[in-house]
């Protein structure tokens, strides 16, 4: 059964007032939300923020009924959630974050400061197992989605996370399937663009528009002393070693 709109509005107003200055994030706030077929453009950032808050509130109520605590925390700032699967094409973002290594540190700091993480870590072992089962369900059974890239993903249909999502979206199995398919389609699109010749394992060649755009990009970075053909070596050098890539200048 879905939550009545009036009750949900009361919860959200209370939550927004209580969490306006908080600075940590719970994974629930980033739950995938498939686009609504009745709304052009699908679900926007504001919609996702409201749904994330609503899900946290419902989950907190459920966990309290089970005898556990849960804190409602705000979502990660939108600037820190941006993804650049091909190249970083936002100059202002790149000047602020480079390849995003500072955001990795920010994520680690949020995790350390997260009151929910600290609460679960401080519970005695048996109590922690019970709390995790109350939150996520005891076993990954009940929800299943076959994704376009192949394989099947599963999750528990029980627990407070599922109860909250069931109240928000009604048909939980259908919502779970659609959210996983939508996320996987993004991965498939990126793989088809980036597949390098002669072929990837499925026999797909890289997108011609991508390979054409790489040529002037590669010439430009080579002029700066980085003899690479794709952004991957630069990204790997910065993200994994946390420093400026060092190649012999030409």
């Amino acid at each position: 059964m879905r939550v009545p709109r009036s009750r949900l509005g009361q919860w959200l107003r209370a939550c927004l007032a209580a969490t306006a200055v908080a600075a940590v994030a719970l994974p629930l706030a980033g739950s995938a939300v498939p686009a609504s077929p009745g709304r052009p453009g699908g679900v926007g950032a504001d919609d996702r923020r409201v749904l994330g808050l609503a899900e946290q509130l419902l989950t907190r109520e459920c966990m309290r009924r089970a005898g556990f605590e849960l804190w409602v925390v705000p979502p990660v700032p939108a600037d820190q959630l941006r993804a650049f699967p091909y190249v970083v094409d936002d100059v202002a973002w790149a000047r602020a974050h480079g390849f995003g290594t500072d955001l990795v540190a920010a994520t680690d700091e949020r995790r350390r400061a997260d009151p929910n993480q600290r609460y679960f870590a401080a519970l005695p072992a048996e109590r922690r197992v019970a709390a995790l089962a109350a939150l996520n369900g005891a076993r990954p059974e009940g929800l299943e989605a076959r994704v376009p890239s192949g394989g099947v993903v599963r999750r528990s249909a029980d627990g407070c996370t599922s109860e909250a999502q069931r109240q928000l979206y009604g048909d939980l199995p259908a919502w779970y399937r659609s959210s996983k398919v939508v996320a996987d389609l993004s991965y498939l699109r990126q793989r088809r663009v980036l597949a390098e010749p002669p072929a990837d394992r499925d026999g797909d060649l890289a997108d011609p528009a991508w390979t054409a755009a790489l040529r002037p990009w590669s010439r430009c970075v080579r002029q700066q002393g980085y003899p690479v053909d794709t952004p991957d070596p630069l990204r790997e050098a910065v993200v994994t070693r946390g420093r400026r890539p060092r190649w012999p200048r030409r």
Side-chain angles (χ1 to χ4, degrees):
M1 181 179 68
R2 291 184 176 86
V3 178
R5 185 180 296 272
S6 59
R7 187 182 179 200
L8 181 57
Q10 293 173 355
W11 282 336
L12 292 176
R13 284 192 295 273
C15 180
L16 289 169
T19 63
V21 297
V24 294
L26 183 70
L28 288 169
S31 299
V33 180
S36 169
R39 295 185 54 189
V43 176
D46 289 342
D47 300 313
R48 293 178 185 276
R49 178 171 174 267
V50 170
L51 287 168
L53 287 171
E55 186 175 321
Q56 289 189 80
L57 284 162
L58 291 167
T59 304
R60 183 182 66 179
E61 278 199 350
C62 175
M63 289 294 284
R64 286 179 173 175
R65 290 196 302 271
F68 300 101
E69 291 297 327
L70 199 71
W71 284 261
V72 173
V73 290
V76 179
D79 187 55
Q80 297 185 19
L81 290 174
R82 293 195 62 185
F84 300 94
Y86 310 117
V87 294
V88 178
D89 56 2
D90 185 320
V91 174
W93 192 96
R95 285 173 175 164
H97 303 295
F99 276 109
T101 51
D102 62 321
L103 302 184
V104 174
T107 299
D108 291 340
E109 179 57 33
R110 280 195 304 273
R111 186 177 296 111
R112 286 191 294 268
D114 188 340
N116 296 298
Q117 297 284 344
R118 294 200 303 267
Y119 171 73
F120 277 86
L123 289 173
E126 289 188 8
R127 183 78 170 154
R128 187 184 309 124
V129 170
L132 290 172
L135 180 63
N136 299 318
R139 291 175 297 278
E141 299 172 355
L143 298 176
E144 180 177 296
R146 187 172 298 278
V147 294
S149 61
V152 177
V153 291
R154 297 181 177 87
R155 202 195 78 189
S156 177
D158 301 322
C160 290
T161 297
S162 289
E163 179 179 317
Q165 292 170 346
R166 188 177 289 109
Q167 290 187 67
L168 282 173
Y169 306 118
D171 188 340
L172 180 61
W175 176 83
Y176 179 78
R177 288 193 300 271
S178 63
S179 64
K180 294 302 179 184
V181 167
V182 167
D184 194 66
L185 285 172
S186 295
Y187 159 74
L188 277 180
R189 181 183 67 249
Q190 294 167 16
R191 193 180 73 176
R192 289 186 177 183
V193 169
L194 296 172
E196 297 183 355
D200 71 0
R201 66 180 184 180
D202 296 323
D204 296 327
L205 297 178
D207 188 303
W210 167 248
T211 55
L214 280 178
R215 287 191 286 272
W217 179 91
S218 179
R219 286 196 300 270
C220 179
V221 296
R222 284 172 182 273
Q223 291 171 3
Q224 302 301 316
Y226 301 109
V228 296
D229 296 320
T230 73
D232 290 339
L234 296 175
R235 184 182 294 114
E236 181 181 357
V238 173
V239 172
T240 61
R241 294 194 287 274
R243 60 174 174 80
R244 181 179 178 85
R246 299 184 185 275
W247 282 281
R249 291 186 173 275
R250 292 185 176 181

